[in-house]
Amino acid sequence: IDSSGLVASVAVIEEETLVAEYTMNYKKTHSQTLLPMLEEIKKSIDLDLSSIDAIAVAAGPGSFTGLRIGSATAKGLGLALDKPLISVPTVDALAYNLYDTDEDTIICPIMDARRKQVYTGIYRFADHELVTVSRQKAIAVEELIRELNALGEAVIFLGDGVTVYQEMLKENMQVPYSFAPAHLNKQRAGAVGALAEKYYREGKTVTAAEHQPEYLRVSQAERERAEREAGKK
């Protein structure tokens, strides 16, 4: 399950086979779309939910509301079915869309975090494995650009932040760069599931009760409350 951004996506993976995937990038709330999408996949492939081994969910960062909806859905299923959850970092899963990119090329997912910040990370592939150069974080776009220029390697950008910050990237990037094509540049539950299958084999699971989204920064409401309280002192 991935509802960390504008995209809502649900997939089923079995023995390294992507059996079904339903992805929608449209102006509907994830609370309207996620469960009907899951139900549609379930009916289409005659899936008995009790037969699954684990439930993978994009655990963040991303939209606070989207993450809560995805986590609540995964936790609800996990508790009802007594199945473990696999928390997959959102930015790692985005990078996994570009599996086995040349190891001399950096993969840089960027998700718009507002206030001229992005949720991002820096990755490459080596020996068919995803390698984290800089783990997922929330930083200013200018700071990310400086970090990438300092590395001095070609970069592929993907994620919903590309549309928002494309002009800034074009003006300030000093190394070769490109943008991933439409079928690979947004969140996909298939990538979350593929990475989760690897985690599952490594024993990286949690109980439904233990799972928590990873927001990376406080919400706007929490930030505004802190500012109000600081103003009272």
Side-chain angles (χ1 to χ4, degrees), residues 115 218-232:
R115 299 159 70 94
V218 298
S219 69
Q220 182 176 346
E222 290 170 306
R223 189 170 61 246
E224 288 173 354
R225 187 177 67 228
E227 287 169 0
R228 282 196 304 271
E229 289 172 355
K232 291 174 185 175

Side-chain angles (χ1 to χ4, degrees), residues 54-226:
I55 300 154
V57 60
S63 153
F64 285 75
T65 303
L67 290 175
R68 288 187 187 112
I69 292 168
S71 287
T73 303
K75 283 169 80 80
L77 287 169
L79 289 167
L81 300 167
D82 193 24
K83 302 293 182 181
L85 266 58
I86 304 169
S87 297
V88 179
T90 305
V91 183
D92 292 30
L94 262 169
Y96 211 62
N97 280 353
L98 303 182
Y99 179 79
D100 240 8
T101 298
D102 187 276
E103 62 180 88
D104 293 330
T105 302
I106 283 170
I107 301 166
C108 185
I110 51 174
M111 298 169 64
D112 184 22
R114 309 284 175 86
R115 299 159 70 94
K116 291 195 174 179
Q117 286 198 325
V118 287
Y119 297 122
T120 188
I122 299 173
Y123 305 86
R124 72 169 82 249
F125 279 91
D127 296 324
H128 316 294
E129 292 289 334
L130 182 66
V131 176
T132 303
V133 178
S134 178
R135 71 184 304 274
Q136 60 178 23
K137 56 197 172 185
I139 62 170
V141 182
E142 292 95 333
E143 189 179 338
L144 174 64
I145 289 170
R146 283 196 298 270
E147 192 173 340
L148 292 169
N149 284 336
L151 287 170
E153 297 177 71
V155 182
I156 303 177
F157 291 103
L158 70 159
D160 60 34
V162 168
T163 307
V164 181
Y165 298 110
Q166 194 166 19
E167 290 309 311
M168 192 182 294
L169 295 172
K170 287 178 179 177
E171 288 171 12
N172 295 287
M173 289 296 294
Q174 296 167 3
V175 294
Y177 65 89
S178 60
F179 301 112
H183 66 298
L184 296 173
N185 71 359
K186 299 290 192 302
Q187 288 90 337
R188 287 187 58 179
V192 173
L195 202 49
E197 192 175 40
K198 182 174 177 293
Y199 290 173
Y200 185 76
R201 289 195 301 269
E202 295 169 358
K204 294 179 181 176
T205 64
V206 296
T207 66
E210 290 171 330
H211 169 76
Q212 292 293 331
E214 186 177 356
Y215 297 115
L216 286 192
R217 68 178 195 181
V218 298
S219 69
Q220 182 176 346
E222 290 170 306
R223 189 170 61 246
E224 288 173 354
R225 187 177 67 228

